Amino acid sequence: MPDDVTGIRGAASDVVGPLASGRPAAALGRQALRNSTLAVLLLAAVVGAGVGLAVALLHEAVALAQETAFDLPPGTNLGDAVASDPWRIVLVPAAGGLVIGILVKLVRRWRPNDIVDPIEANALYGGKMSLLDSLRLTLSTMLSNGSGASVGMEAAYTQAGAGVASVVGQRLHLRRADLRTMVGCGAAAAISAAYDAPLAGAFYAFELVLGGYTIATLAPVGTAAVVAVAVANWLSDGATSLPFVRPVAVAGWDYLACGALGFLAGWLSIFAMQSVTVAERAFRALPVPVWARPALGGLCVGALALAVPQVLGAGPGADPEHLADGVQAMAILLIAKIAASALSLGSGFRGGLFSASLLLGGLFGGVMYGAIETLAPSLGIDRMVLVLVGMGSVAAGIIGAPVTMVLLVLEATQDLWAASGVLIGVVVSTTVVRQAFGYSFATWRFHLRGVPIRGAYDIGWVSELTALRLMRADAKTILTTQTVETLQRLYPLGSAKIVFAVEPSGRYAGIIDMGAVHDPSQDEETAKQPVSALAHHADAFVLPGDDVRTVLQRFCTAEVEALPVVASPADRRIVGYVTEAYALRRYSQELERQRGEELGERSLYGRD
């Protein structure tokens, strides 16, 4: 978004200035783009078209890989029918895991950094993503899904879409807020194209990638979502992956049943997320190389698929036609799918739980319907209502996007009554997950990695405002071996409030209050003492990389007006110092600037 109102109103003058100064035409084009609503919308449309094309091609590529690897008839879903040869079912996932493990090991030598996903990029890095890393994750997810691992392709779709959008925005030197919006456009286009659901895709971006909905982001995100669906449908048959055709009725006991199902779905969501963590820890404890873990996980998934073939790949979908095999069969598939997803992700396959959570929810709703029919058949609950509510509630609990799931059901069924029932379950489910667990699957993975974010809200500016940027380099120091009398001569009364004591080796040794040094009540014996006798808070310091919140917390703990910035915890040479007053002022200024930008986004829609 624009930095201020002047930049919005003065777009023309911003272009004339560079012309007069002889700036290159490319720079002028970027400047015009940054100040034009229409240009941003056109860019969002281009991103949506590209992502829609990419999703369609990736889907076809994975389907072809599954047909080839498992010897499937053309057009057959891996979750609906699998190869007649048992050896394929067992060995293909294991072989795919071996390839992924070896590739990851080789690539780690070249790029050892973790892959930044859209949520993390928008929260910490102002929307900046690496195209190479995004392609790396996309390829890994394609190999995982193509070889039958129990993961979905949505992670690849959103990573590729957001990564391309981010790189395009970086090349055009978009502002931080605009770059974050472009990342949201890429993610929205990916989900929209994958599920033929532009509303769900748009709100996926608002809830998970942008961290909120604003009028300023509505137009570009919505444009990208709609264009992506149009392009994907043009390239394919346009059939949604969640085809529901029968209308439902929600009344009477149905509302109570929806709420109860949402409550139980919340706990099932927590169980599914924790299962992945347990599996990951179990694989780490095994005495096998890291690169061999995906192969072992694939072997386990293949063995499980011999008994329950539907666990392979993303699953057969959440279409009720696939969920009418009886309560016992659905309960077995529910447990097996959770286990297969946990084994796949825990062993090192790449992918997401979006499609798996929809299947789990649909199965759970079917199982609950069977239980109600057995215990209280007189209630007359519609089976499809519970299937839809279960699908939305479990997916909302795991993915952490409640409005997205309600809209996904609405777009799949085109039934407002169905959406109202799902809304009840989703609200209860997300409340249970938030209160009892506190994370979605994505933010839980961030927590396990030590990444301090709970969503896509932009806190990157906090990380960027470090002690290195806040400090002054002219720290006043004195050796601990020198006397108080020498200190008084070096820094007369009024010349300094505090001085930092350092050892002869240069190591920080504490803070000296100059008010106490110049205390007139001191006797001559005190003046002859080494300054080390007056130094205190030897362990109170900050590091150059500490963010402003950490710095302010250190001030609260130490209760001093200034702290030294040392090179490292081991090498405590002073490289500068920070005052509490300046740190508070800079933090307040940046906070007000961020709030001003948010208010500007809400109040200003156009830029021209």
Side-chain angles (χ1 to χ4, degrees), residues 68-394:
T68 303
F70 289 93
D71 193 24
L72 299 175
T76 303
N77 191 314
L78 181 59
D80 294 327
V82 295
S84 58
D85 299 326
W87 68 267
R88 288 181 182 268
I89 300 176
V90 176
L91 295 183
V92 169
L98 182 62
V99 172
I100 290 172
I102 294 174
L103 285 178
V104 170
K105 181 177 177 62
L106 294 176
V107 171
R108 280 283 184 181
R109 296 181 177 180
W110 172 45
R111 295 184 71 86
N113 56 294
D114 290 326
I115 298 175
V116 175
D117 79 346
I119 300 175
E120 186 179 358
N122 269 8
L124 298 178
Y125 306 112
K128 294 180 180 179
M129 298 175 64
S130 166
L131 181 60
L132 286 177
D133 287 344
S134 296
L135 295 177
R136 174 161 59 119
L137 178 61
T138 301
L139 177 60
S140 298
T141 306
M142 290 178 64
L143 290 173
S144 299
N145 193 267
S147 61
S150 191
V151 296
M153 280 293 294
E154 294 79 11
Y157 297 154
T158 56
Q159 185 75 28
V164 170
S166 174
V167 171
V168 170
Q170 291 178 63
R171 292 290 178 88
L172 294 173
H173 300 285
L174 296 183
R175 295 184 176 93
R176 182 187 185 96
D178 285 339
L179 185 58
R180 295 179 75 251
T181 300
M182 283 298 111
V183 171
C185 289
I191 295 298
S192 299
Y195 287 92
D196 193 22
L199 286 176
F203 273 84
Y204 177 91
F206 292 139
E207 291 187 284
L208 294 181
V209 181
L210 295 173
Y213 162 82
T214 65
I215 297 298
T217 57
L218 174 62
V221 171
T223 298
V226 171
V227 172
V229 170
V231 171
N233 286 348
W234 175 61
L235 294 172
S236 62
D237 56 9
T240 176
S241 57
L242 302 172
F244 299 98
V245 295
R246 180 171 69 82
V248 302
V250 182
W253 289 104
D254 295 338
Y255 291 106
L256 182 60
C258 291
L261 181 58
F263 177 80
L264 297 175
W267 293 104
L268 179 65
S269 303
I270 296 172
F271 174 74
M273 290 186 282
Q274 289 282 35
S275 297
V276 176
T277 303
V278 171
E280 189 173 39
R281 290 172 178 170
F283 277 102
R284 286 180 178 176
L286 293 176
V288 296
V290 175
W291 59 266
R293 292 174 189 167
L296 181 59
L299 194 64
C300 294
V301 171
L304 183 59
L306 289 175
V308 189
Q310 292 88 349
V311 302
L312 289 176
D319 184 348
E321 294 180 1
H322 295 285
L323 307 178
D325 299 328
V327 175
Q328 184 177 0
M330 287 189 291
I332 292 174
L333 179 54
L334 175 64
I335 296 171
K337 186 62 177 178
I338 292 176
S341 297
L343 288 169
S344 299
L345 293 173
S347 62
F349 284 100
R350 302 307 296 261
L353 286 180
F354 195 112
S355 55
S357 65
L358 294 171
L359 173 60
L360 292 176
L363 291 168
F364 186 61
V367 171
M368 290 298 101
Y369 171 79
I372 292 175
E373 280 296 289
T374 301
L375 301 175
S378 61
L379 293 179
I381 305 295
D382 190 334
R383 176 181 178 276
M384 188 177 289
V385 169
L386 294 188
V387 169
L388 294 172
V389 172
M391 182 182 74
S393 300
V394 173

Side-chain angles (χ1 to χ4, degrees), residues 5-19:
V5 179
T6 304
I8 299 172
R9 305 301 184 192
S13 61
D14 287 343
V15 176
V16 172
L19 280 171

Side-chain angles (χ1 to χ4, degrees), residues 399-412:
I399 304 302
V403 177
T404 298
M405 298 309 163
V406 175
L407 292 175
L408 182 62
V409 170
L410 177 61
E411 291 181 288

